[in-house]
Amino acid sequence: MHNLETLGWKNEFNVDQENVARILTVQKNSFRASDGELDYQAHLSGRFLNESTSPLDFPAVGDWVEVQKLSEERKAVIKRVLPRASQFVRQAAGERTDPQIVAANIDIAFIVNSLNHDLNVRRIERYILLAYDSGAMPIVLLTKKDQASEDEIEEAISSVKEVAIGVPILAISSLTGDGIEELMNHLTTGKTGALLGSSGVGKSTLINAIVGYEVQETKGIREDDSKGRHTTTHREMFMLPNGAMLIDTPGMREIQLWDGESAMETTFQDVEVLEKECRFSDCAHKTEPGCRIQEALGTGELSEERYASYLKLQREIAFEKRKQNQKAKLEEKSKWKKISKQQKDSYKYRAR
C-alpha cells in the first residue's frame, strides 16, 4: 500500500490509490512525481496532450495525478490531473494572454519580502489578492530580520498591516532561526505551503533552514540596491521534517493578474466597507455628498496610495477579462473554421 498520506493525500477522489502520485517538480515537459514510496520520472500521455486546450489543464507542482506506473524503470505516464483544491494562477509573463499555474493544492501561500529596501507593499497587496483568489490562506513573511533594527522591523510591519488586513505577518531570520518556530506552527503535518516572492528575498535560504541542510542553491544580493540574484530556476516541492510540504518557486519579476475579481472584497475589505457606508448606493466617490471614501481620504483613515491601488487593480482585472474574452472568441472561431474545413474535405472525398 502506497503511503500517499505522507504527501498530504486526503482521499477525496473516487480513484484507485495505487495509480495516484503527486507532482514534486516541473521542468518544461518533464515531471517528477511521487507516490509516497518511490519517485518517478513522468511524462504526459498522447491522449492527455491531444485533449488539453488550456495551460490550466497541465500538471503543476503540488498536483495529484492519475498515472500508469512502470515501477521497474521508475517511470510513469500521466493520464489526468485530479481536481484541485486550490491553484495559484497568474498571467504568464510576456505579451501572450495565457494563465500560468505557479502551484496547486496549497493550503498556505507564504508571501516573502525581505526587510531591506526591496520591501514593496504594493507587490504584497497584489500577492494577497492572488492568494485569496487561489483558495489558499496568505501569510506574509518578512525575512532577514537579523539585518534590520527593531525600529525598522516595527516600521515595516506597520506598513504591511495597512495592506494585509487580517493576514498574519511574521518577521523571521533564516540565519538565527528567529521566527521559524512561529512559521512552523502554521505549516503543520500534512499541510502544503508555497513560497512566493521576488528573487533574493531569501526563499531558498529559508527552505534550507527548515529542512536542516542545503537542498537549494543560494546566492547573495547586490549590496548597492539589495536586489536579489536569480537562483531557483524551477518549481519544486520539499518534504519537511515535521511531515509538511513546502514548494519553492523562482522569483517573479512580474505578478500580473489572471483573475482576482472574487478576491477583491476580501483583500480590500477596508475600502469595500467604506463604499457601503456612502449615502448613495451608486456613489462614484468623487463629489457626491455623504461619500465615505472621500471623507476617509480627507481624514487619512484611508490612504491615497491604498485607494489608488484598489482602483488600479479593478481596472487591471477588467482589462484582463476583456483580453481573455476576446481570445476565447478568436479560438472558438478558429475551431469552427477548422471543423468546417474538415467536413468539406470529407464531403469532397466521399463525392469522388
Side-chain angles (χ1 to χ4, degrees), residues 10 126 163 182 310 333:
K10 297 182 176 66
R126 194 169 275 257
V163 302
E182 191 179 356
Y310 172 73
K333 188 176 178 181

Side-chain angles (χ1 to χ4, degrees), residues 330-344:
L330 290 171
E331 286 175 346
E332 187 72 8
K333 188 176 178 181
S334 173
K335 183 181 84 173
W336 285 110
K337 275 179 75 174
K338 194 182 290 184
I339 290 171
S340 177
K341 185 178 183 303
Q342 286 171 347
Q343 287 175 337
K344 283 178 184 176

